[in-house]
Amino acid sequence: MTEKRNFIGQIIAYLFFAGFLGVLSNYPTYSHTTADQATIKLTMNHSGKLKEKCRQRSEEEMAKLPPNMRVSMDCPRERSPIKLEMIVDGKEIYKETLLPFGLTRDGEATAYRRFNIKAGEHRVQVRMKDDVNTEGYDYHFEQTLTLAPSQVMVIHFDNLLGKFVAI
Amino acid sequence: MIIRSTQKLGMKLFEVVESRFSTAFGESWNPFYNLGALSFFFFWIVAASGVYLYAFFDTSITSAYTSVESITNNHFYIGGIIRGLHRYASDAMVVTMTIHLFREFLMGRFRGARWFSWLTGVPLLWLVFASGINGYWLVWDQLAQYIAILTAEWFDWLPFFSAPMAQNFLNEASLSDRFFSLLAFLHIGIPLTLLLMMWVHIQRMAKAKSNPPRGLALGTLAALIILSIAKPAVSQAPANLDRAVTDVQLDWFFLNLYPLLDTVSPGDLWGLVGFITLLIAVVPWILPKGKYSIATVNLENCNGCERCFIDCPYDAVTMQPRTDGMSFSHEAVVRTNLCVGCGICVGACPTATPFRRQTQLVAGIELAEFPLKNLRNEVLQASETLSGTDRVMAFACSECGKDKLARQPGVAVVPLPCIAMLPPSFIDFVISKRLADGVFLTGCETANCYHRYGSQWTEERIEGKRDPQLRKRVPRERVARLWTSAVNGGRVQQEIKQFRSRLRDVGPMRDDYASMKQSLSFVSSETGGNIHDTD
Ligand code: HEM
Ligand code: SF4
Ligand code: SF4
């Protein structure tokens, strides 16, 4: 049994399908950021200070522990959560408390944030606090940055230098 | 209730469009009836073109862009066309897969034992999208940069990573080869997993159509080649992480959700796609399953002929060594968790013949809640409502057919879960017993049968190409059939009208045929399952 077919109809259908693929595969063009914007990426991988200081175990405590674990110093490994803030032109645009990685919270706290801001001059401040046992912020960054349109500026915490740097 | 009516309405829309396509392509080439097969076909095009591209692709981040440019521009026309095929066949796969999903949903082909195909379809969605997005990443142009940063930021929301993935893409200085090479390998790994899952997806279907008919395949391939020449797939400007991406040309088939990341948080997007995925996945369990009856084997009537095993479209019948000491070597066994209750096995069984006495009318295989006895009673009762010389007994598939046959005097309608549940001997029975002057069968279009092979098997049984065959002595002018979709109710009415006028022309049944059958009827079934119903 040969089926009835209409080849003109098929060609129209194929052209329509190809056109549909060709167009939606490329258009409409999408504007992710506008040309007058720049990007700041704030990032950090940093271990906070230990949450608790090491302390001497008492005799009684030692007795309770299994013999192979009787170490006189008790050093909890949990680290402080880290408070991180960014202020641009006097306005706070980011504030977060970052937890150390890992189930026992003894790893690094990490941050990554991307901000689109208008190109031009901006006063940028970053503050970080990595110790629950002290008052106030432990690290400060303050700089006037001039951002060209579409420029990507990375402000990251350099663990060797122990401070934030903008590159 | 609302879902049911949306389903109905959606299916109507599909049918209207599809019937147009059937006119142009013919039923068997109709793309809507080959969506799964087309998805497979596109996969093979993508795979074959991918091998070519990969052979010339440089997996280091510094040379990836130039290597792709070189394939596009320096390989005479071949490289460009192959790149175009690779892209557009991937896009096409998204299209056919999406329509396939909607269609299977609207047709309700996820109910009951068919949950398996539905559920194994869900990971295919993710794998197709992952493969495509991963592919765009490798070109390392502006689009790739956009994808890299947004995908990394999106994944960083998940609590698995010790350091944010997005830190790999801070600026040009932070870029490393390691991560990029990993992506290049994933572009083999993910599609291979996709292929494996596609294979799993069709495991529960007997004779799954995973290749489109040649005419359709060639036409589609030609369309893709022409598209690749008319609108070549090219790279955008090279990636430069020191500069933000502004305007970018998106492939909306794959990247349609990415713009959302500019307005909603990564967590919200995870919520959205997670919710959609879950919603799709649970469809077979939250929507009404529909009532259907499972097939059961009556061993004393089964002679192990294998017809039910061959005809079941869902691989739900297996043949196993005889357990009851009868002299046959095998017996049919139904795997109840695979059976969808279509009854096609009943129509295939040689022992399913209405000429047997009432007490003995038990076939080797039967639907537990719709035994042949009941079917015969329905036929007998339906016959009583008819009078005249153009009486028609219509058997219809209840999925696509019942509604096509609006009630009308002179036509009795007997619905079946699938038209192929009707053993051909019933046609003989109706005509020889003068229960009607003609028998009309209607079911789905052959290439688009709700139970996959119901119309085709029936057609072949009537034409004598498939067991059990309709006996040769049944006057063919008294048997009509029409395989068409539910929207074509008008055509069915017209066909019936013409059939009835032909019946009037033929006049009443010849006595000799009837009396011959009379003497043969109610043959004693001492022969057990060995009734011959072929001439
Ligand atoms: C890569 C994508 C996919 C491919 C290549 C594919 C392929 C196929 C093929 C070849 C068939 C058999 C058609 C037949 O012979 O009757 C099929 C059936 C089916 N597919 Fe897919 N499919 C894909 C995605 C999906 C998705 C996303 C879903 C839904 C979540 C889905 C649900 C179904 C259902 C319900 C059936 C019918 C099962 C039945 O008739 O019992 N598929 N598919
Ligand atoms: S009713 Fe018969 S043919 Fe249909 S799925 Fe069940 S065993 Fe297979
Ligand atoms: S006799 Fe009937 S039940 Fe037995 S194998 Fe043949 S078709 Fe199947």
Side-chain angles (χ1 to χ4, degrees), chain B residues 4 34 198 217 369 391 452:
Chain B
R4 262 291 159 87
N34 290 285
M198 280 159 59
E369 282 151 43
R391 300 165 304 153
R452 308 193 58 240

Side-chain angles (χ1 to χ4, degrees), chain B residues 297 301-308 319 332 345 348-351 364-365:
Chain B
V297 174
N301 286 323
C302 169
N303 62 19
C305 71
E306 294 195 351
R307 286 181 191 170
C308 54
M319 299 306 296
C345 50
C349 185
T351 65
I365 193 163

